[in-house]
């Protein structure tokens, strides 16, 4: 099937290329490349395991051909063998992705592999996070139609990628979906430049997965269990914004999306038959120098995969955004929060403000102040049978929609100050207080972690295009979390950038409260260079065991000690 | 089969190099107020313009765009450059984009690429990644990453693009 697909792609590609008046010569080829290489050795102090292969590497190459309204591309991937933290099922090499796409009049047709998202992704999102080893690309066909200004229709059909499996030979679910979005201001010409803008949309997704006969004995009688083979999900959404057209540039916006999913007993929800539900609300107000945003979310039994027995990060049909801050400082990201797909409700608030220049606090350049708060709790769950816990093959539980569950999963308050002292010196300071329930990372029964985390960051331009950057971070906690995060941490980084081309950095992350004592230093030395779009980076040192998260999806990264090199390039 | 495919791409690739500069692909993105536009329609009245990929969670991106924000007025006066700041924030962090842009008082054209479609189509590995296009929308310069001082190289490239486009118009 894969080969056939490639052949079709190639024929189409050649046909269009030669039929076009410009010929193949008129087309453009672009692409990107990334290669990661790792050599790691055993280090019992930090828990770094022996790597039998000694050398590990991941590589990706994207090649894209565009000729007017026609485009085609392939992605070659190799994991020989996968670098630490990537699933061993990635082992191998080949064309992981290929597609052909054509736009004509109001239609855009794509065959082969593609990515797409409906609304916020609550019922459908196909995407990739290469650095997480996550790719749920669809293989099939997609049509996007814009019959009128302001109306967008999308239709998708296909199966999702699962490592190197030939998806057409597996029983993984077939996904069918449609989405309609109406933008009132684009549809009605007289509203084109109105201060109030309204758009709404709706989507539907259905997954078909064959179910094997399954029998269950209840009171000495054998019953056949009804496993739904078609699982449907629907969502409606709305976006409203208003521009006050004043000198402050004030504007207000509100967004809402509500999704429901039919009976879907699966490995993640413990095979219960309860319907799934998700609500995501956002609101924001901004004006010059000020921004406020609020988000609220409630998720109830919304794990949605195209294989009912899958438990990992792969084969997710939907995407449930985590509404906690995504941190850039490594110690702030020590206890990352991942969305609890079986049930959570939470809020997040952000206030960003620029203290005006020329004031006492603003100084010559103004001061940036950012405040962020988030809190996520469980949802209320009452087992159907009060004498039992939530039991497989039943409706599971009932839940009061507005009642906040008693378990706190995560709470954080943080603030950040950004201050420019001169055109050569810029600094920022950040403080975060986090309350983390290990259950949110699957560590049941472990005590809550309370941590104060500080970060100070300064960049000084030593010459027109050269700079020095110093970063200090401190994490204080009384609790231990897992074996890799016991006691307090301190981190220092010194980085030197030379004429925007070369850089060198030294980092030491010291877990000074660790039982292993003063030896637990995670030092790292890195050098690199950038030449236009090509970056080469080489580092040597220790990497702590931890969790790496992007967009609320996380993977565990094992400890390593050794050499790491990355090459990225685009053309 | 794979060899054939590789060969085909090698041929096309070698031809492609001799062709003109790559243009911006026709990918649908959204403006901050929700209007749907094609990246192919990015323009600056026939003058060069730039595209900067960034995200609210990317520190070097914020450093780059904050630095340029202070210089933007001067740059525009001298060269008439326009910058499209394409955010890669997905539904988790996209609500932070508008507050951040307005509180930072950025004057860029802010664009949302929520599912990284434009990022993939333009061959961007990681943000920040900056492209400079001539008046015809052809990519004439690009740079990955940001270190303080890179804005000087960027501005040099902008100046050169303005001169080149003035020559090609004569």
């Amino acid at each position: 099937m894969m080969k056939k697909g490639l052949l079709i792609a190639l024929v189409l590609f050649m046909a269009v290329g030669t039929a076009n008046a410009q010929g193949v010569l008129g087309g453009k080829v672009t692409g990107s490349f990334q290669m990661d290489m790792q050599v790691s050795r055993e280090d019992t102090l930090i828990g770094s395991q022996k790597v039998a292969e000694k050398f590990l590497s991941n590589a990706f190459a994207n090649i894209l051909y565009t000729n007017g309204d026609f485009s085609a591309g392939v992605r070659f991937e190799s994991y020989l063998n996968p670098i630490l933290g990537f699933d061993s099922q990635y082992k191998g090499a080949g064309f992981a992705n290929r597609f052909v796409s054509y736009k004509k009049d109001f239609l855009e047709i794509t065959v082969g592999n593609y990515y797409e998202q409906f609304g916020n992704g609550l019922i459908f999102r196909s995407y990739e996070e290469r650095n997480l080893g996550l790719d749920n690309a669809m293989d099939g066909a997609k049509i996007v139609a814009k019959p009128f200004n302001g109306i967008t229709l999308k239709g998708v059909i296909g199966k999702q990628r699962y490592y190197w499996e030939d998806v057409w030979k597996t029983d993984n679910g077939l996904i069918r979906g449609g989405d309609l979005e109406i933008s009132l201001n684009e549809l009605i010409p007289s509203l084109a430049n109105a201060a109030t803008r309204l758009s709404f949309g709706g989507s539907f997704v259905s997954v078909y997965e064959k179910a094997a006969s399954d029998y269950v004995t209840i009171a000495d009688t054998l019953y056949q269990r009804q496993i739904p083979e078609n699982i449907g999900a629907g969502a409606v959404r709305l976006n409203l914004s208003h521009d006050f057209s004043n000198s402050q540039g004030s504007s207000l916006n509100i967004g809402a999306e509500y999704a429901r999913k039919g009976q879907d007993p699966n490995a993640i929800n413990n095979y219960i038959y309860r319907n799934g539900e998700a609500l995501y609300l956002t609101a924001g107000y901004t004006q010059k120098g000020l921004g406020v945003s609020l988000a609220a979310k409630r998720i109830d039994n919304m794990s949605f995969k195209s294989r009912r027995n899958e438990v990992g990060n792969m084969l997710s049909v939907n995407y449930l955004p985590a509404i906690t801050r995504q941190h850039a400082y490594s110690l702030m990201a020590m206890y990352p929060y991942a969305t609890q797909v079986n049930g959570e409700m939470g809020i997040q608030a952000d206030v960003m403000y620029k203290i005006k220049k020329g004031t006492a606090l603003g100084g010559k350049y103004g001061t940036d102040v950012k405040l962020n708060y988030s809190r996520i709790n469980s949802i209320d769950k009452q087992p159907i049978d009060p004498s039992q816990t939530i039991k497989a093959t039943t409706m599971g539980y009932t839940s009061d929609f507005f009642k906040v569950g008693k378990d706190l999963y995560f709470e954080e308050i943080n603030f950040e100050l950004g201050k420019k002292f001169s055109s050569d010196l810029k600094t920022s300071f950040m403080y975060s207080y986090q309350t983390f329930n290990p259950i949110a990372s699957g560590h049941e029964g472990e005590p809550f972690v309370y941590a104060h985390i500080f970060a100070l960051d300064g960049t000084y331009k030593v010459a027109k295009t050269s700079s020095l950057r110093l970063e200090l971070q401190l994490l204080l906690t009384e609790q231990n979390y897992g074996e890799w995060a016991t006691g307090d941490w301190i981190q220092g980084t010194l980085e030197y950038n030379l004429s925007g081309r070369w850089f060198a950095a030294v980092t030491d992350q010291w877990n000074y409260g660790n039982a292993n004592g003063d030896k637990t230093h995670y030092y790292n030395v890195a050098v690199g260079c950038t030449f236009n779009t090509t970056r080469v980076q080489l580092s040597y040192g220790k990497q702590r065991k931890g969790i790496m998260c992007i967009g609320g999806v996380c993977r565990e990264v094992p400890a390593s000690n050794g050499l790491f090199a990355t090459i990225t390039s685009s053309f | 089969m794979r060899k054939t495919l590789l060969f085909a791409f090698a041929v096309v690739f070698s031809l492609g190099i001799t062709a003109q500069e790559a243009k911006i692909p026709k990918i649908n993105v959204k403006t901050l107020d929700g209007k749907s536009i094609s990246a192919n329609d990015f323009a600056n009245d026939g003058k060069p313009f730039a595209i900067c990929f960034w995200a609210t969670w990317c520190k070097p991106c914020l450093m780059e765009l904050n630095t340029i924000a202070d210089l933007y007025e001067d740059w525009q006066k001298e060269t008439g450059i326009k910058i499209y700041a394409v955010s890669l924030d997905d539904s988790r962090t996209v609500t932070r984009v508008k507050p951040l842009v307005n509180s930072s008082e950025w004057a860029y054209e802010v664009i949302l690429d929520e599912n990284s479609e434009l990022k993939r189509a333009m061959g961007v590995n990681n943000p920040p990644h900056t492209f400079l296009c001539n008046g015809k929308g052809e990519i004439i310069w690009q740079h990955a990453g940001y270190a303080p001082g890179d804005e000087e190289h960027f501005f040099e490239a902008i100046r050169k693009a303005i001169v080149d486009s003035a020559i090609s118009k004569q």
Side-chain angles (χ1 to χ4, degrees), chain A residues 69 103 286 324 350 420, chain B residues 26 30 70 92 96 102 123:
Chain A
D69 289 317
K103 286 190 175 94
T286 69
T324 55
D350 278 291
K420 182 171 159 183
Chain B
K26 289 187 182 174
K30 283 194 169 164
D70 291 340
R92 174 179 183 183
R96 288 173 59 88
N102 284 351

Side-chain angles (χ1 to χ4, degrees), chain A residues 381-391 394 396-399:
Chain A
K381 284 186 183 179
Q382 302 299 330
I384 297 278
D385 178 352
S387 66
Q388 283 178 314
T389 52
I390 294 155
K391 196 182 163 192
T394 67
Y397 56 90
T398 57
S399 178

Side-chain angles (χ1 to χ4, degrees), chain A residues 137-283:
Chain A
M138 292 280 283
D139 190 8
K142 170 172 97 165
I143 297 177
V144 178
K146 294 191 173 192
F148 307 103
N149 245 346
I151 293 190
T152 310
L153 275 157
K154 290 176 186 172
V156 296
I157 187 160
K159 280 188 172 192
Q160 290 173 308
R161 177 179 185 188
Y162 192 75
Y163 303 106
W164 290 106
E165 255 182 36
D166 182 347
V167 293
W168 300 104
K169 285 186 182 146
T170 68
D171 288 331
N172 291 355
L174 178 66
I175 300 169
R176 293 79 45 103
D179 182 75
L180 166 70
E181 181 159 297
I182 300 168
S183 166
L184 224 54
N185 303 72
E186 287 169 64
L187 185 66
I188 303 165
S190 62
L191 296 177
N193 294 308
T196 307
R197 305 189 70 84
L198 177 68
S199 72
F200 45 91
S203 46
F204 182 77
V205 174
S206 161
V207 175
Y208 169 75
E209 186 193 353
K210 210 169 171 273
S213 293
D214 186 18
Y215 296 91
V216 59
T217 312
I218 300 170
D220 295 334
T221 314
L222 202 62
Y223 292 92
Q224 184 175 0
R225 192 180 286 166
Q226 293 290 322
I227 297 171
E229 290 193 318
N230 284 288
I231 293 147
V236 284
R237 63 180 186 270
L238 173 128
N239 272 294
L240 180 70
S241 68
H242 181 76
D243 191 334
F244 293 96
S245 316
N246 55 20
S247 61
Q248 285 298 306
S250 313
S251 75
L252 190 71
N253 63 284
I254 290 165
E257 183 165 10
Y258 176 73
R260 268 187 89 81
K261 185 173 67 97
Q263 291 188 344
D264 176 19
N266 61 53
I268 290 181
N269 71 11
N270 194 25
Y271 298 96
I272 60 167
Y273 282 72
R274 182 181 165 78
N275 288 329
E277 200 177 30
L279 178 68
Y280 187 35
L281 302 170
T282 57

Side-chain angles (χ1 to χ4, degrees), chain A residues 275-342:
Chain A
N275 288 329
E277 200 177 30
L279 178 68
Y280 187 35
L281 302 170
T282 57
Y285 172 81
T286 69
Q287 65 173 52
K288 206 173 166 219
L290 172 72
V292 179
S293 99
L294 299 167
K297 188 178 72 160
R298 185 182 187 278
I299 284 170
D300 180 353
N301 186 25
M302 273 305 277
S303 163
F304 193 16
K305 289 188 181 282
S306 62
R307 186 154 82 191
R308 62 177 71 82
N309 295 326
E310 179 65 20
V311 290
N313 274 341
M314 297 292 268
L315 297 176
S316 285
V317 177
N318 64 348
Y319 173 73
L320 302 164
I323 52 167
T324 55
R325 179 151 182 193
Q326 187 157 323
H327 287 292
Y329 292 110
S330 54
L331 292 186
M332 300 247 172
M334 180 77 85
Y335 314 105
Y337 183 72
T339 302
Q340 303 299 299
V341 295
N342 283 340

Side-chain angles (χ1 to χ4, degrees), chain A residues 66-136:
Chain A
T66 318
N67 193 342
D69 289 317
F70 174 83
S71 63
V74 287
R75 183 165 78 221
F76 181 82
E77 295 180 7
S78 82
Y79 305 84
L80 300 167
N81 284 336
I83 60 169
L84 294 174
F86 277 71
D87 198 294
S88 62
Q89 292 177 81
Y90 267 121
K91 197 186 284 184
F95 286 95
N97 193 310
R98 76 281 182 263
F99 77 94
V100 175
S101 180
Y102 193 76
K103 286 190 175 94
K104 184 73 186 166
D105 302 323
F106 60 87
L107 275 186
E108 179 195 328
I109 297 163
T110 308
V111 293
N113 299 104
Y114 59 87
Y115 298 96
E116 186 53 74
Q117 176 177 334
F118 295 165
N120 289 304
L122 299 183
I123 64 165
F124 182 72
R125 186 187 185 197
S126 167
Y127 72 115
E128 57 156 342
E129 280 299 352
R130 183 182 302 170
N131 298 318
L132 281 184
L134 190 156
D135 182 16
N136 62 1

Side-chain angles (χ1 to χ4, degrees), chain A residues 343-521:
Chain A
E344 64 167 30
M345 56 201 294
I347 49 161
Q348 178 171 228
D350 278 291
V351 179
M352 304 178 199
Y353 181 67
K354 191 177 197 113
I355 302 173
K356 284 195 177 66
K357 29 182 124 166
T359 58
L361 287 169
K364 193 179 166 192
Y365 298 94
T367 302
D368 290 310
V369 184
K370 289 176 188 155
L371 250 166
N372 169 271
Y373 174 78
S374 60
R375 184 184 170 105
I376 317 287
N377 269 62
S378 60
I379 56 167
D380 166 60
K381 284 186 183 179
Q382 302 299 330
I384 297 278
D385 178 352
S387 66
Q388 283 178 314
T389 52
I390 294 155
K391 196 182 163 192
T393 79
T394 67
M395 294 298 282
Y397 56 90
T398 57
S399 178
D400 181 342
F401 190 88
F402 294 101
K403 198 170 163 188
V404 179
K406 62 181 191 323
D407 294 327
L408 171 69
Y409 287 146
F410 187 83
E411 186 177 31
E412 178 182 8
I413 183 153
N414 63 64
F415 72 86
E416 197 179 345
L417 294 172
K419 179 92 193 128
K420 182 171 159 183
F421 286 96
S422 69
S423 60
D424 294 332
L425 180 66
K426 284 175 196 175
T427 59
S428 68
F429 170 77
M430 188 167 169
Y431 166 74
S432 166
Y433 179 69
Q434 299 178 5
T435 306
F436 175 78
N437 186 345
I439 204 168
S441 283
H443 297 263
E444 209 165 328
E446 282 184 41
F448 276 59
V449 176
Y450 304 90
H452 298 271
I453 310 158
F454 305 84
L456 186 68
D457 191 338
T459 306
Y460 183 68
K461 248 170 120 171
V462 288
K464 204 177 175 193
T465 59
S466 300
S467 64
L468 207 57
R469 195 174 78 88
L470 178 71
E471 186 187 295
L472 293 169
Q473 296 182 48
L474 179 68
L475 184 153
L476 302 173
T477 180
E478 298 287 317
Q479 288 79 32
N480 295 338
Y481 172 54
E483 73 253 33
W484 73 87
T486 61
D488 301 334
W489 293 75
I490 189 162
Q491 179 182 334
T493 301
L494 187 66
E495 189 183 308
Y496 181 67
N497 280 290
L498 181 68
S499 53
R501 183 158 294 178
W502 296 91
F503 94 91
V506 211
T507 297
D508 186 25
Q509 203 173 74
W510 181 26
N511 188 189
Y512 66 89
N514 194 293
N516 286 326
D518 294 351
K519 291 176 203 149
T520 329
H521 283 276

